[in-house]
Amino acid sequence: MLLRAGVFRRRHRDDRRIEPLAGLSRIERAALGGVALLTALAGTARYVSGVGTVAAFVLAGVALAGAAWVVSFATEQVGERLGTEMTGLLQSTLGNLPEFFVVIFALNAGERVVAQTAILGSILVNALFVLGLVIVAGSLKADDHVMRFSPRLPNDTATLLMIASFIILLVGLADSAHDAASHHIKTISIVGAVAILIAYGVWVRQYLSTKGPAARSGGAPRLSSVTSVTLLIGAGVVSAFVSDWFVHALEPSIRTLGISRSFAGLVIVATAGNAVEHAVGVVLALKGESELAISVVKNSVAQIAAFLYPLLVLVSLLTATTLTFALAPVYTGALLGTAVIIWQITGDGEATPFEGAALIAAFVILASVAWFES
């Protein structure tokens, strides 16, 4: 009898192993199903005639945010086996897949302004708006209304952002002065991209080898490695297709809604592509996970400024439109100002609700400027 009970328990455990999504809650399973449904609807809107361009644009944007959530969730499950630093780095790296594909398809469609402002918007949305929300949530959660975290990552992020701003400022000055260097913006951008990527690689090695203060773990992984990687690959493929649909509906939607390309890239595209950081960072802050919340947001800022942007400059050599570090002066100023602001607010490892509100206000001001840009 005991032998039969033991066999039954082993079979029951084996059956649970066979179910790849057994560790997910009902809400998470429903969310995965919802993402699949949204993706199907977005694909239908793309290829079936008679669907309005704005409706197709909205569906593609929501599906893109959903795919980004799946990437983030699967990355988190993989990262639970790797530690806080690696989890934050991995989540921000793979979480930027939607932005990568959106920019590539935008460049192929000749939408250089949308591509540039989408990258810049991803930096500014995370550094100002999302970080502001995280600080407000985290500081209000604390007993003394002061959010505390290690200052190492915020200071490193400000340094990487300033390095990226440095070449953007130099290129912008050369371009506006129409001097000899202005005729070689593409070459300067390529050299700058390689230099920044090398500096970023050195930072990543240092960041992963130097342990900061221990942060509470989110718990044991609830999915197997095979299931997590499968979800990750599947979401990455979906992101590529949805990004194509999103960009395809972008141009007619801009005309229909009467919004500028700068606003579309800086606010709409960047917000859709960074929806994961919005939700994940705020939820972690509300749970009191200040260190991990700051890690997710700050890693994303560093990734886009010092990895994704330079990488796209090099990859764009293969697309119809080339991407460079030449930006409109107003956005160069915004990038430099953002680097200084986040260093001032987070450089000491403490933040208050007022400072979070100030970051959000800065983004609202920037969005209003983008609304009136071409």
Side-chain angles (χ1 to χ4, degrees), residues 265-285:
L266 193 73
V267 178
I268 298 176
V269 176
T271 301
N274 290 276
V276 173
E277 283 82 1
H278 300 183
V280 172
V282 173
V283 169
L284 288 171

Side-chain angles (χ1 to χ4, degrees), residues 12-201:
H12 181 64
R13 286 196 297 269
D14 290 340
D15 289 342
R16 290 181 60 187
R17 290 192 192 103
I18 292 173
E19 173 57 57
L21 303 179
L24 300 184
S25 66
R26 289 184 178 179
I27 295 177
E28 289 167 336
R29 293 188 186 192
L32 286 174
V35 171
L37 177 61
L38 283 170
T39 302
L41 290 175
T44 301
R46 165 65 176 87
Y47 295 107
V48 175
S49 59
V51 180
T53 55
V54 175
F57 178 69
V58 171
L59 282 172
V62 176
L64 189 65
W69 172 77
V70 178
V71 170
S72 176
F73 177 75
T75 304
E76 183 182 3
Q77 294 304 305
V78 174
E80 289 289 358
R81 301 170 172 86
L82 304 175
T84 301
E85 286 83 1
M86 179 59 81
T87 299
L89 186 66
L90 192 64
Q91 191 170 52
S92 58
T93 302
L94 298 178
N96 287 323
L97 278 175
E99 291 99 311
F100 177 83
F101 290 124
V102 166
V103 172
I104 291 297
F105 285 119
L107 289 172
N108 266 328
E111 294 285 354
R112 180 184 281 114
V113 172
V114 172
Q116 288 180 326
T117 53
I119 300 172
L120 187 63
S122 295
I123 297 172
L124 300 176
V125 163
N126 282 298
L128 297 175
F129 184 67
V130 181
L131 182 60
L133 290 176
V134 166
I135 288 176
V136 170
S139 56
L140 291 178
K141 175 71 175 179
D143 294 334
D144 57 354
H145 288 182
V146 177
M147 186 180 188
R148 293 181 174 85
F149 43 84
S150 170
R152 180 177 64 121
L153 182 57
N155 287 329
D156 289 350
T157 301
T159 301
L160 290 169
L161 195 53
M162 287 181 179
I163 292 172
S165 302
F166 179 71
I167 184 173
I168 290 172
L169 177 61
L170 289 181
V171 169
L173 290 173
D175 191 42
S176 61
H178 301 290
D179 58 10
S182 66
H183 302 292
H184 305 281
I185 297 297
K186 181 177 177 180
T187 302
I188 295 171
S189 295
I190 293 172
V191 173
V194 173
I196 294 174
L197 286 172
I198 292 173
Y200 178 77

Side-chain angles (χ1 to χ4, degrees), residues 202-223:
V202 173
W203 172 75
V204 168
R205 185 177 184 278
Q206 173 185 303
Y207 175 68
L208 295 179
S209 61
T210 306
K211 298 295 182 181
R216 295 196 300 272
S217 172
R222 292 175 290 137
L223 297 178

